[in-house]
Every structure is written in C-alpha cells, then in structure tokens.
Amino acid sequence: MEQGTITTPEQISPTIFIICGVTGDLAQRKLLPALLSLYTKKLLPKKFKIVGFSRREFTDADFRLFLKEEMHIKRDVYRPEDIHHFLNNVVYQQGQFDSQVAYENLSKRLAQIDDLEFKQCSNKLFHLSVTPSFYETILGQLSKSGLTIPCGGNLGWTRILVEKPFGNDIETAQKLDALLGTLFKEEQIFRIDHYFAKEALQNILAFRFSNSLFEPLWNNQHIECVHIQLLEKIGIEGRGNFYDSIGALKDVGQSHILAMLAQLVMNEPASFDAHNIRKERANVLKNIRPITSRNICESAVRAQYVGYTEEPGVSKSSNTETYFQIQTNIDSKVWKGVTFYLESGKALSENKTEISIYFKDKTKQNKPNILSLRIQPDEAIKIRFWVKKPGFGMQTEPKTLDFHYRDFHAPQSIPDAYERVLYDAILGDQTLFTSTDEIKYAWKFITPIIDSWKTLPLERYQKGSKRPNLNTL
C-alpha cells in the first residue's frame, strides 16, 4: 500500500494562512500550536504568513503579545527564538464577519503581503475557526470580496478548511455543501474531522492491508461483533450553550464514531489515493442499516449525567443526551450479520477511544479472541488469545499480545492531528478529509435517529460512572 512521491511543503510557493475567528478557543488550543510545531519541523512553506481575522481590536504587535499569553505553547519543547520568529510571521486584521468592508480590507491586506513581501501572488488557505452559525455569512462575504478566486495558473491556489459539525441534519448539510459548491471546486474544500488524522486510526489501513494474517479474517465469517467507544472523563467544560443545542450524537456520533467505523470496515481501495479511499469510506456509510422510529427502542439508548442541567448555558429542563449507545449492522455481503455497537459519553470514569473486534468463538465456550485498537490515549494494538494453563488437564487461560506506540516512538514523533490536517491541506491531499458523499451518508443515517430521539426515555447516570447503569443493548 505504498504511495508515490509527493511534493514537500518547502517546495510549495509562498502561502498565507487566514484564520477566521483567530481569537477563539480552537485557534489558540489547536491551530496556532500546530502551525508552530510544523514551523519548527520545517514543514511549512519557506515563505508563509498567518493572518488572524476576528472582531476584536488589535494592532499586530498587541496581537503577538496576546498570543504569547493565550496560545497553548509547550515552552519546554520550543526554543524562545523559534517562538519569536514564528510570531513575527503573524499579523492581525480586524473586522466584523458580516461586514463587506471588513473583507475588502482583508483583501487589501493580503494583496499588500503579496506585493511587498512575497513579490508574487501567494497561495491562500482559509480556516473557518468559528461556530457553524457563521459559516454562511463568512462564505458569502468571501465570495463577494473575490477572496475565493485563486490567482490562476501555477501562481497560487485557494483552499478552505471547514470544521465539524458540518450541518445540523441532512437538509442543512446539503444546503451548506451546495453553498460551498458554488464558491469552490471539490478539490479546494477540506472538511475536517480530525479523527481521520490520528496516527492510530490511520494505522488501521496499514495494519489490515499490510498483514496477510488479519485481512482474510476481516469479514462476517470470522467476526461476531465490533464495539466502538469514545469515552471521556470531562463534562461539557463550559460549552453549555453550544453543547446543549447538539448533544453527544451530533457532536461525535455523526463524525468521529462514524469515521472510525468507515475506516475500520472499508473494502481495500483500488489504489491508496484520496479519491479511492474516500469512495470506499462513503460506501460503508451508505450501507449502514437505517434506524427509525420503528426500531429505535431496540437499537438505541440515550442518557444524561446527573448535574448536567446545572452547567452554565444549559437549560434547566434540557433533554440533551451526554451519552448514547447504538446497535446497528452494515448491509453488505462482507459484513452481513455482524453487530456494531457505537458508544460515546461524557463524565465517565475513564478517557478511552477504542475499537474492539470480537472474533467468533469456534469452541462455543465463550472464549472469543479480541483485537483491540486503542486510538487514544496510549495508542496501542492488543490481541487476546487463549493458551493452556501449566499443569495437568487441558484448561485454558487468556493472555495478551500488545504493541504500544510509546515503547517504540517518542511522543513528539507522533504528529498532532491538527498538524497532519494542516500539513495535508497545504499539500492538497484530501485523504484525511471528509467527502461530500461521506457527509451525505453519515447524516442520512443519523437524521432519522435524531427525529426519533424523543421517543426514547432519557436515562440518568452519575458523573464518574464506569459505565452508565442502564438497560444497555
């Protein structure tokens, strides 16, 4: 599954990163630290600029001071001079997101950088680091100002990075996709689900298709069921206004959970390029068996942790779920009959994102082999198998073979997911980004569940529960 040689970032022509909503939490915690890391690893274009675009008033100098205080910088990792040089490439442009004049001023600022510093038309990479409610406004204004138009030829491209949630249901997702399609070509649109960029999730494809030991077993003849979990200790961490309007299913079910499912069971692509990999992921999502009001009571559980309605920004009468479990199947020849359990929750006893594959027990003694793929934390692959106990008789006991990334790779050698997202966007590689079809089929599966959600009782569980004390599936 080797890929051909690709262009390196240093070979890319001058590039400007425009972060809309640069003073927000995502930019400070993820985007700017990722760009700093890429810079110190010499994985950015040799000539680059970062333009922060937001509503607050800052001069360039004041904004750099703001970043020194607010940006999540691992100061024990970077040299002070590297931080200083990186920040010198950051400038600020103030503007209201709904103001046409603000975008005209932004356009003038970008042209000034091209003319005075780069002496040529540069690449433009826009990142919408804002809540989805601003997407339509910002995209419309970018279009009116001409900022979405590439320079043309080989002089400069324009690309846009859009964060999840991509829409609120299948109707809003299609509306947003149609809007993007009027402004950009598909190869310019990079829809982010950063889970695709996690090293352990990417490794699933290598693990399957590079090891003849496993791929022949990757089907309904050998696998009984699959359990995909995304469990968190934290609650909603001050995101009450945002979280209460979407809930766990929309927050991670429609995106991260289905991303893991698609990556796990996709057929081997014709070639390991973006088009074919995304095509196979979409085919998985297309074939998930629907859950509707007719079967939701047998197929889903939803719950809310005690104290959620006391969180800031949350309605006192909120029925928003903070935990869900879904049981479903994939209607394909390869996976027919295999049950998939999709589970996620907040305020639980552990942080764990893991895929557990239960192989059929041919002995009929309830002793299945289990292959566990730990996505985070402590990325690992574990296999449970059975061996004879020493001594007389023929009793067996379980043992585990495991591989931990930390034992062979220094933590700093594993790229942060946002580093990989930005790196691939610079190169124009869309493999780790969600396609139009993936968005469509994911919402096609999730929307009927949301429509039937209120027919399910909302269970309660205590914060810190190992697993919610529910009538789980």
Side-chain angles (χ1 to χ4, degrees), residues 207-209 211-219 266 268:
F207 181 76
R208 282 181 59 189
F209 300 123
N211 294 293
S212 58
L213 177 64
F214 295 104
E215 180 56 18
L217 307 179
W218 223 261
N219 54 60
M266 60 178 273
E268 183 171 4

Side-chain angles (χ1 to χ4, degrees), residues 18 106 110 124-128 142 147 158-161:
I18 303 98
L106 175 62
L110 300 182
K124 310 295 191 303
L125 186 62
F126 292 88
H127 186 286
L128 302 191
L142 287 175
L147 284 165
T158 299
R159 294 172 186 155
I160 189 158
L161 288 159

Side-chain angles (χ1 to χ4, degrees), residues 336-355:
K336 184 177 181 180
V338 178
T339 302
F340 292 85
Y341 297 94
L342 315 178
E343 180 185 21
S344 182
K346 288 187 172 293
L348 299 173
S349 64
E350 61 179 330
N351 288 317
K352 180 174 75 171
T353 301
E354 187 168 273
I355 301 170

Side-chain angles (χ1 to χ4, degrees), residues 198-209:
K198 289 186 178 294
E199 192 70 29
L201 191 61
Q202 291 180 59
N203 190 48
I204 290 175
L205 297 187
F207 181 76
R208 282 181 59 189
F209 300 123

Side-chain angles (χ1 to χ4, degrees), residues 77-272:
V77 174
Y78 303 112
R79 300 181 304 171
E81 56 266 35
D82 287 336
I83 298 173
H84 175 75
H85 292 153
F86 172 77
L87 291 177
N88 277 348
N89 285 290
V90 180
V91 298
Y92 186 80
Q93 182 66 39
Q94 188 274 336
Q96 298 292 327
F97 294 144
D98 59 354
S99 168
Q100 186 174 345
V101 173
Y103 293 84
E104 292 171 356
N105 291 335
L106 175 62
S107 182
K108 292 175 184 177
R109 185 70 180 271
L110 300 182
Q112 185 181 53
I113 295 170
D114 284 352
D115 294 341
L116 300 181
E117 297 189 44
F118 296 153
K119 312 295 185 184
Q120 69 176 84
C121 181
S122 65
N123 304 317
K124 310 295 191 303
L125 186 62
F126 292 88
H127 186 286
L128 302 191
S129 184
V130 296
T131 60
S133 60
F134 285 110
Y135 285 175
E136 187 172 349
T137 298
I138 292 174
L139 290 170
Q141 293 291 354
L142 287 175
S143 177
K144 288 179 183 178
S145 63
L147 284 165
T148 61
I149 303 172
C151 301
N154 296 319
L155 294 177
W157 43 251
T158 299
R159 294 172 186 155
I160 189 158
L161 288 159
V162 184
E163 291 281 346
K164 77 165 190 71
F166 196 85
N168 196 48
D169 53 27
I170 190 167
E171 183 179 342
T172 56
Q174 289 177 330
K175 181 180 177 182
L176 176 57
D177 212 45
L179 176 61
L180 278 167
T182 63
L183 305 179
F184 300 95
K185 296 178 180 179
E186 178 63 20
E187 59 266 27
Q188 294 177 282
I189 304 169
F190 291 74
R191 305 171 190 83
I192 297 173
D193 183 342
H194 70 274
Y195 257 64
F196 279 131
K198 289 186 178 294
E199 192 70 29
L201 191 61
Q202 291 180 59
N203 190 48
I204 290 175
L205 297 187
F207 181 76
R208 282 181 59 189
F209 300 123
S210 297
N211 294 293
S212 58
L213 177 64
F214 295 104
E215 180 56 18
L217 307 179
W218 223 261
N219 54 60
N220 57 4
Q221 298 300 308
H222 301 281
I223 294 175
E224 184 73 34
C225 66
V226 176
H227 197 172
I228 299 177
Q229 296 175 294
L230 197 168
L231 311 179
E232 298 180 280
K233 283 185 177 181
I234 62 171
I236 57 173
E237 301 291 289
R239 297 193 306 154
N241 288 323
F242 168 76
Y243 195 90
D244 201 40
S245 66
I246 59 169
L249 186 62
K250 288 183 181 180
D251 188 32
V252 299
Q254 182 272 336
S255 52
H256 301 338
I257 294 286
L258 293 186
M260 289 188 279
L261 174 64
Q263 191 88 337
L264 181 74
V265 306
M266 60 178 273
N267 291 333
E268 183 171 4
S271 63
F272 285 85

Side-chain angles (χ1 to χ4, degrees), residues 184-413:
F184 300 95
K185 296 178 180 179
E186 178 63 20
E187 59 266 27
Q188 294 177 282
I189 304 169
F190 291 74
R191 305 171 190 83
I192 297 173
D193 183 342
H194 70 274
Y195 257 64
F196 279 131
K198 289 186 178 294
E199 192 70 29
L201 191 61
Q202 291 180 59
N203 190 48
I204 290 175
L205 297 187
F207 181 76
R208 282 181 59 189
F209 300 123
S210 297
N211 294 293
S212 58
L213 177 64
F214 295 104
E215 180 56 18
L217 307 179
W218 223 261
N219 54 60
N220 57 4
Q221 298 300 308
H222 301 281
I223 294 175
E224 184 73 34
C225 66
V226 176
H227 197 172
I228 299 177
Q229 296 175 294
L230 197 168
L231 311 179
E232 298 180 280
K233 283 185 177 181
I234 62 171
I236 57 173
E237 301 291 289
R239 297 193 306 154
N241 288 323
F242 168 76
Y243 195 90
D244 201 40
S245 66
I246 59 169
L249 186 62
K250 288 183 181 180
D251 188 32
V252 299
Q254 182 272 336
S255 52
H256 301 338
I257 294 286
L258 293 186
M260 289 188 279
L261 174 64
Q263 191 88 337
L264 181 74
V265 306
M266 60 178 273
N267 291 333
E268 183 171 4
S271 63
F272 285 85
D273 57 23
H275 171 75
N276 284 293
I277 288 176
R278 300 205 302 175
K279 176 184 175 182
E280 293 300 339
R281 293 197 309 240
N283 282 337
V284 174
L285 301 176
K286 180 181 180 180
N287 289 307
I288 303 176
R289 185 175 299 171
I291 295 175
T292 65
S293 57
R294 293 182 179 181
N295 62 350
I296 193 166
C297 291
E298 299 81 35
S299 305
V301 172
R302 68 184 187 119
Q304 183 188 95
Y305 66 77
V306 175
Y308 171 76
T309 55
E310 305 303 316
E311 300 274 15
V314 173
S315 168
K316 299 297 181 184
S317 58
S318 174
N319 285 316
T320 297
E321 81 287 349
T322 59
Y323 171 92
F324 68 85
Q325 186 180 148
I326 292 171
Q327 174 183 320
T328 191
N329 300 87
I330 296 173
D331 291 325
S332 69
K333 182 179 179 180
V334 175
W335 294 101
K336 184 177 181 180
V338 178
T339 302
F340 292 85
Y341 297 94
L342 315 178
E343 180 185 21
S344 182
K346 288 187 172 293
L348 299 173
S349 64
E350 61 179 330
N351 288 317
K352 180 174 75 171
T353 301
E354 187 168 273
I355 301 170
S356 299
I357 302 165
Y358 291 77
F359 290 88
K360 290 184 176 180
D361 179 12
K362 303 298 176 68
T363 69
K364 307 298 183 182
Q365 296 178 20
N366 194 27
K367 294 181 178 181
N369 299 120
I370 304 173
L371 172 61
S372 298
L373 306 169
R374 177 66 71 94
I375 308 303
Q376 67 177 24
D378 186 22
E379 298 90 342
I381 299 172
K382 299 180 182 180
I383 302 173
R384 188 179 81 170
F385 60 101
W386 297 84
V387 298
K388 178 187 175 297
K389 282 185 177 181
F392 302 99
M394 187 52 74
Q395 292 181 310
T396 58
E397 61 183 350
K399 296 296 179 183
T400 302
L401 284 174
D402 56 16
F403 159 74
H404 294 262
Y405 282 72
R406 66 169 185 240
D407 294 338
F408 298 90
H409 304 282
Q412 59 269 27
S413 70

Side-chain angles (χ1 to χ4, degrees), residues 16-59:
I16 303 177
F17 302 88
I18 303 98
I19 302 177
C20 300
V22 72
T23 57
D25 186 59
L26 177 63
Q28 303 306 312
R29 286 191 305 108
K30 296 292 185 180
L31 297 178
L32 288 163
L35 287 167
L36 171 60
S37 181
L38 291 172
Y39 169 72
T40 60
K41 295 173 182 176
K42 301 187 184 304
L43 294 176
L44 290 183
K46 286 184 178 179
K47 293 182 179 181
F48 75 95
K49 212 75 175 179
I50 298 170
V51 177
F53 180 56
S54 200
R55 295 173 288 184
R56 295 171 62 174
E57 293 279 357
F58 282 111
T59 64

